[in-house]
Amino acid sequence: MAKLRGRGIAAINYPTGMNLGGDPSQVVIVAQPDGRLVVNVASVELGQGIKTVLAQIASEITGVSVEDIEVRFGDTESAPHDTGTFASRSTHRMGNAVVKASEEIREIVLNTAAKMLEVSPRDLEIREGRVWVKGVSDKSVEVKQVISQAQFTYNTPVVGKGFYVKPKSSVDPETGASDPHSTMAHGCTVAEVEVDTETGFVTVLKVYTVYEVGKAINPQLVESQIIGGIVMGMGAALTETVYPRYPALDFQTTSFRDYILPTAGDIPEIVAKIVESPTPTGPFGAKGVGEMVVNSIAPAIVNAVYDAIGVQITDLPITPEKVLKALKQKEAAAKS
């Protein structure tokens, strides 16, 4: 009996969004009397950080600070239509809609500031939360003040509307060609494992992973998604099953006391890298990353187990029972 080590690799290309009937996102940004902005979105935050990312996008274009932008989710009575949070689409689809809505806000800000500063809008620029007259270091006004004055002094509604949709791409009946996706992201994962040939347990020792995500609008959130995806993928590869003795249906898991999820103590050393190659279709070049980061870890672990024991196990999860059974069959085959 021994503890054998192996290394496995898996690569992935992953599309952003769906090709259903167009997969639209729509956004309305409404200014508050004090100059803050409220971004109304009919989708939801699932913990992936889209609330922060959308506020960052709106801030970059309007000049209003991130702290003064509120993103409201889930109220379909006050927000326009959105297909939803799925298919790694939120940053790309909703982000593009926020870009357009923010550009309308930006135009209102520049036109209003031009009246306040008595210059042409073409002579203005927005930076550091203020509207500046280009080349004049002492002539500027705070963006929040401009937005407030637009409403109270110039009787101008400060509202921005934005939408994004990629039209459905039908399949060419002659060639089978189609253009179903807005963009493709890419990734590669290497896993190092140790297999205990006495107990059958597989331990993930280290994971190296790199993802090309277009533009990482918030690199810390992207890295967090990558780490979360690795942990989720480890569960799929090694522990999570409803029927642990399938095709037999006995010992079915009925609660999270039986359904084994990886916890903090199971997380291996992780080396994660982000590669940026902006796509022309995304907001500031961003692609979707949410689902992609879950998918490459399981095949990398499977290949690492094969490298360690010389048996390819294709039925997930790779439980200790399956490892011991595979080793026994390998030994029997060697003797025959």
Side-chain angles (χ1 to χ4, degrees):
M1 301 301 174
K3 291 185 177 180
L4 304 177
R5 293 195 174 190
R7 174 180 288 181
I9 186 171
I12 184 172
N13 301 320
Y14 205 84
T16 297
M18 301 286 286
N19 190 40
L20 299 172
D23 196 9
S25 280
Q26 299 163 5
V27 171
V28 172
I29 301 178
V30 181
Q32 303 304 292
D34 61 359
R36 293 180 300 110
L37 299 178
V38 174
V39 181
N40 294 287
V41 182
S43 189
V44 293
E45 162 77 65
L46 295 180
Q48 74 274 44
I50 189 63
K51 190 172 186 177
T52 300
V53 168
L54 295 184
Q56 286 183 260
I57 292 172
S59 174
E60 183 70 21
I61 297 171
T62 64
V64 177
S65 69
V66 172
E67 292 77 13
D68 288 322
I69 297 176
E70 178 186 355
V71 180
R72 292 180 182 172
F73 286 98
D75 187 348
T76 54
E77 187 174 40
S78 60
H81 177 69
D82 190 285
T83 310
T85 296
F86 61 93
S88 303
R89 66 184 295 283
S90 298
T91 295
H92 187 276
R93 297 290 199 270
M94 285 192 276
N96 273 323
V98 170
V99 166
K100 290 187 177 179
S102 299
E103 288 173 344
E104 289 193 359
I105 297 287
R106 180 184 177 90
E107 184 176 355
I108 294 171
V109 168
L110 290 176
N111 288 334
T112 303
K115 297 174 184 174
M116 296 171 65
L117 297 170
E118 297 181 334
V119 296
S120 167
R122 295 190 298 273
D123 296 327
L124 297 175
E125 61 181 355
I126 299 176
R127 53 182 169 84
E128 300 169 347
R130 303 184 69 84
V131 184
W132 296 82
V133 178
K134 295 177 182 176
V136 182
S137 60
D138 61 350
K139 198 168 185 179
S140 68
V141 61
E142 187 183 15
V143 172
K144 285 179 63 178
Q145 183 184 351
V146 175
I147 292 175
S148 182
Q149 288 294 305
Q151 298 169 85
F152 287 101
T153 303
Y154 299 101
N155 195 29
T156 301
V158 184
V159 178
K161 304 181 295 298
F163 69 95
Y164 180 84
V165 63
K166 182 181 186 299
K168 183 177 181 179
S169 175
S170 300
V171 177
D172 186 318
E174 299 296 327
T175 65
S178 177
D179 181 25
H181 312 304
S182 300
T183 186
M184 294 284 287
H186 311 84
C188 185
T189 298
V190 174
E192 293 181 352
V193 306
E194 183 176 80
V195 182
D196 189 321
T197 60
E198 183 174 9
T199 65
F201 276 99
V202 177
T203 302
V204 180
L205 302 174
K206 193 169 185 177
V207 175
Y208 306 85
T209 191
V210 58
Y211 285 99
E212 184 277 299
V213 300
K215 171 66 178 177
I217 292 176
N218 190 312
Q220 188 173 6
L221 285 174
V222 173
E223 184 175 357
S224 297
Q225 284 197 305
I226 291 172
I227 294 173
I230 288 172
V231 177
M232 290 178 67
M234 286 173 53
L238 299 175
T239 59
E240 295 180 38
T241 180
V242 177
Y243 295 105
R245 297 190 180 183
Y246 187 82
L249 303 184
D250 50 352
F251 296 100
Q252 177 186 1
T253 56
T254 57
S255 73
F256 283 114
R257 290 190 301 178
D258 306 316
Y259 191 86
I260 305 172
L261 293 164
T263 61
D266 301 310
I267 299 176
E269 181 181 354
I270 296 173
V271 180
K273 297 292 183 183
I274 298 170
V275 176
E276 292 186 321
S277 179
T279 173
T281 70
F284 301 99
K287 301 177 180 179
V289 65
E291 294 168 324
M292 173 176 67
V293 294
V294 182
N295 292 337
S296 63
I297 180 67
I301 290 174
V302 169
N303 290 334
V305 170
Y306 172 74
D307 186 45
I309 66 174
V311 181
Q312 189 85 57
I313 301 175
T314 58
D315 180 25
L316 299 183
I318 303 178
T319 60
E321 292 82 3
K322 292 177 183 176
V323 172
L324 294 177
K325 182 179 179 180
L327 289 171
K328 188 175 182 179
Q329 291 174 339
K330 178 184 177 184
E331 182 179 355
K335 292 179 179 179
S336 62

